[in-house]
Amino acid sequence: MRSITRQKPFTEIEESLKRFNQVYIIGCGTCATMTKTGGIDEVLEMKERLEGLEKAVTGWTVVPIACDGMTDVTIKENERAVRKAGCILVMACALGVHRVTMYTSKPVIPALDTLYMGVEEKPGHFKEVCAQCGQCVLGETAGICPLTACSKGLLNGPCGGTNNGKCEVDKEKDCAWTLIYQRLKLQGRLDLMRKYHPPKNHQAAPRPKHIKL
Amino acid sequence: MESRFKRALNSGKFVVTCEVGPPKGTNIEKMLHHIDLLKYRVDALNVTDHQSSVMRFPSLGGCLSVKERGGEPILQMTCRDRNRLALQADLMLAHTRGINNVLCLTGDAVVVGDHKEAKGVFDLDSVQLLRAVRQMEAGEDLAGNRLDGAVSFCAGAVVCPEAKPIEPQLIKFEKKVEAGAEFFQTQGIYDLDNFANFMQHARQFPVKILAGIILLTSAGMAKYMNANIPGIFVPQNLIDELASAGKGQALQKGIEIAGRMIAAIKKEKLCDGVHIMAIGREELVLDILRAAEI
Ligand code: SF4
Ligand code: SF4
């Protein structure tokens, strides 16, 4: 599982940093490195661009896993450079941004937009496979998630927009329900497609979602 | 109370419905004109619901106009823009104003329309919406609470007889029947042999089927639909026929083709009626009916 991110437009980053002349940058060695949005190369490039805007980069680091508790240790180790900065620019997904926020009183600015949880299908191709809906139906849909793979998140079969196995929103995109149909048929479980799925419980995990073991 | 449309469906007559599209804006003159032209010539008028995800005057508003002017409206309802609270509320409002036919649709995706950044709701889907109608008729809302006053609707849905592959579409069709759909208006059909095959399957179920007839306005339009509209297949011989019509005559040819198809469907008793879609040229429905000798 990977948290898939995209770098924000640089003008937006510039705008968020307007009131800060000293910046500390934190990248992430896991997901953001894989998606080439917050690894060492991207952090160094960001450093250069910020210096081009006459900002002082008081320091930078790429923590192994930004969303992990170890991030606290890294921030403490770099305390002097962090203290000199007006803010911390985080080049990790929003989970990393939250972690950093937990461990510092400095303003924390995200440099990335967090898009979805995905898996790497083949090198460089990250696919959304789960929207963490709280009521998994994969057992009845041949392992294809209708909430993420279907553009409308439909639970009871294809809409009228399906066309030769493609989806109405994009001729390149497979229709999830055609895939589900084909796979269920192959498995001899087509009866599952006839099953009625009642409206989804959108409060299956109440908001804000929080589990205490 | 049984709606006028439901009585027509059960009368054994060849039923005709068509569409009116509400305007983008508050100038409803053209819509009212179309309603007046058609209200006594067809059994019911569908009022489209932000068709193709383009924001417009609401379907419910159009249905009220149809009703006020003595016509029989079919409320088109998509699941794209309203969650289950809003859908149920609109069903209750419709019921109290004498709108007692509803067509339950999933709705096109947001991104095909003109408000591309909007949130697509899809809290319910078409099957769940049909069931919601039936549950509210039984005096209960979707949360299981008792309603002080139930609704009553002749509820329908759509089906796409030309979809490829067809099997998933037929499974969904059956789920809609089980959910309580009484009638179906089909996506536009052009190949009557294919349609007859579909009808052979559909006949097993106790539902009324109205064949979708989309007016062809030119060979170019037919080709465009083949390439871009899911579930539409205009055979080459019809495209050639349109192309061979003289300059400025293609539309006339399209009317002739639509009339001919309707007449054939009626004569061969292929299904229970037709649903004519003239997409913005509703005044031509009268010409189509004349060409079909209805
Ligand atoms: S149904 Fe889809 S979104 Fe829900 S938990 Fe399963 S994979 Fe995730
Ligand atoms: S075409 Fe298929 S994937 Fe696309 S919205 Fe319809 S059912 Fe979902």
Side-chain angles (χ1 to χ4, degrees):
Chain A
M1 197 267 287
R2 294 279 174 254
S3 185
I4 310 303
T5 49
R6 179 169 61 201
Q7 200 174 104
K8 284 177 177 291
F10 192 67
T11 46
E12 188 185 331
I13 296 172
E14 191 181 340
E15 178 65 29
S16 336
L17 295 178
K18 217 165 59 187
R19 60 172 84 193
F20 305 108
N21 292 321
Q22 280 93 21
V23 181
Y24 187 87
I25 309 175
I26 296 180
C28 173
T30 311
C31 303
T33 292
M34 276 196 66
T35 52
K36 301 195 191 321
T37 47
I40 293 179
D41 292 349
E42 294 78 37
V43 167
L44 287 175
E45 194 191 325
M46 180 63 72
K47 174 174 180 285
E48 221 166 89
R49 292 187 80 172
L50 295 185
E51 284 164 354
L53 295 174
E54 314 268 289
K55 300 206 185 279
V57 174
T58 63
W60 63 272
T61 181
V62 174
V63 295
I65 310 171
C67 60
D68 187 274
M70 286 300 285
T71 299
D72 185 24
V73 177
T74 313
I75 292 176
K76 289 217 167 78
E77 277 170 7
N78 294 281
E79 209 201 329
R80 277 187 53 201
V82 172
R83 202 176 338 121
K84 274 194 270 168
C87 74
I88 302 177
L89 182 69
V90 179
M91 298 180 73
C93 78
L95 300 182
V97 177
H98 279 287
R99 267 296 174 189
V100 175
T101 303
M102 281 168 71
Y103 302 131
T104 174
S105 55
K106 296 265 177 203
V108 178
I109 310 287
L112 311 183
D113 282 319
T114 304
L115 304 175
Y116 54 89
M117 300 297 138
V119 292
E120 192 171 25
E121 270 192 315
K122 48 186 176 182
H125 288 254
F126 298 95
K127 183 174 158 192
E128 185 187 23
V129 289
C130 172
Q132 292 140 325
C133 74
Q135 275 184 320
C136 196
V137 297
L138 286 180
E140 290 167 343
T141 55
I144 297 159
C145 167
L147 274 93
T148 48
C150 166
S151 305
K152 298 172 190 167
L154 302 178
L155 288 173
N156 281 300
C159 74
T162 174
N163 207 9
N164 294 320
K166 297 295 172 188
C167 173
E168 72 177 15
V169 307
D170 181 351
K171 282 183 197 161
E172 303 296 309
K173 183 195 160 306
D174 289 328
C175 165
W177 274 101
T178 307
L179 295 179
I180 294 171
Y181 158 74
Q182 285 162 345
R183 248 180 108 89
L184 284 176
K185 191 169 177 172
L186 207 74
Q187 299 172 342
R189 299 198 298 159
L190 212 46
D191 55 304
L192 286 175
M193 206 167 149
R194 296 179 182 273
K195 179 178 160 191
Y196 171 66
H197 289 270
K200 198 151 191 66
N201 174 9
H202 290 281
Q203 309 300 330
R207 270 180 197 275
K209 294 177 181 168
H210 189 183
I211 286 177
K212 195 167 158 259
L213 287 186
Chain B
M1 203 197 63
E2 248 185 30
S3 74
R4 228 157 81 194
F5 174 57
K6 183 165 180 170
R7 283 202 300 275
L9 285 175
N10 290 332
S11 70
K13 69 175 283 209
F14 190 75
V15 173
V16 179
T17 58
C18 66
E19 283 182 355
V20 285
K24 190 170 198 77
T26 54
N27 179 359
I28 59 174
E29 287 310 314
K30 188 173 163 197
M31 177 180 79
L32 297 181
H33 173 66
H34 285 152
I35 291 171
D36 287 340
L37 271 181
L38 297 164
K39 63 187 176 191
Y40 299 133
R41 284 289 276 142
V42 297
D43 294 291
L45 286 165
N46 284 45
V47 184
T48 53
D49 180 12
H50 305 297
Q51 195 165 33
S52 305
S53 308
V54 172
M55 192 288 294
R56 289 173 178 279
F57 188 84
S59 170
L60 199 43
C63 285
L64 286 173
S65 296
V66 173
K67 196 73 198 169
E68 280 158 14
R69 301 170 98 82
E72 176 71 352
I74 298 176
L75 175 67
Q76 292 202 180
M77 251 194 175
T78 74
C79 298
R80 179 191 52 237
D81 311 312
R82 285 163 287 184
N83 71 3
R84 63 191 88 173
L85 277 76
L87 289 166
Q88 292 178 93
D90 283 355
L91 284 167
M92 291 191 288
L93 170 59
H95 174 84
T96 59
R97 301 299 291 273
I99 298 163
N100 291 109
N101 309 300
V102 62
L103 186 76
C104 300
L105 305 157
T106 298
D108 292 325
V110 166
V111 293
V112 307
D114 70 346
H115 283 57
K116 296 191 188 301
E117 296 187 356
K119 178 170 171 61
V121 178
F122 303 112
D123 183 25
L124 302 186
D125 62 29
S126 50
V127 180
Q128 293 161 346
L129 179 58
L130 281 161
R131 287 192 182 247
V133 171
R134 295 306 177 220
Q135 195 165 339
M136 291 177 79
E137 281 184 333
E140 211 181 64
D141 71 10
L142 278 181
N145 300 308
R146 223 181 69 77
L147 295 174
D148 180 9
V151 301
S152 102
F153 284 97
C154 175
V158 295
V159 62
C160 199
E162 294 274 7
K164 288 186 191 72
I166 186 69
E167 197 177 6
Q169 192 65 210
L170 295 180
I171 292 174
K172 183 115 183 212
F173 168 77
E174 287 169 38
K175 281 175 108 161
K176 289 176 177 180
V177 176
E178 277 162 30
E182 295 161 76
F183 71 94
F184 283 83
Q185 292 172 321
T186 79
Q187 171 64 291
I189 52 132
Y190 293 97
D191 185 322
L192 293 186
D193 291 337
N194 281 354
F195 183 63
N197 285 340
F198 165 75
M199 279 310 300
Q200 215 163 20
H201 180 80
R203 281 272 179 235
Q204 308 169 60
F205 304 95
V207 292
K208 305 289 177 186
I209 311 269
L210 307 182
I213 303 291
I214 302 178
L215 173 67
L216 296 170
T217 56
S218 68
M221 178 244 192
K223 283 188 214 152
Y224 176 85
M225 287 207 302
N226 276 350
N228 295 293
I229 311 288
I232 297 261
F233 173 68
V234 188
Q236 190 59 39
N237 64 323
L238 291 184
I239 298 179
D240 294 343
E241 194 179 338
L242 286 161
S244 69
K247 214 175 159 43
Q249 296 300 305
L251 182 59
Q252 199 48 49
K253 187 51 92 184
I255 293 171
E256 196 186 307
I257 291 171
R260 192 170 76 207
M261 282 178 55
I262 296 168
I265 291 168
K266 188 176 176 195
K267 183 161 163 269
E268 293 166 33
K269 296 196 168 54
L270 279 180
C271 62
D272 307 287
V274 286
H275 175 59
I276 305 172
M277 292 166 272
I279 316 179
R281 312 284 299 267
E282 278 73 25
E283 64 283 354
L284 298 176
V285 170
L286 295 178
D287 299 314
I288 296 172
L289 290 175
R290 235 172 272 128
E293 292 179 19
I294 286 180

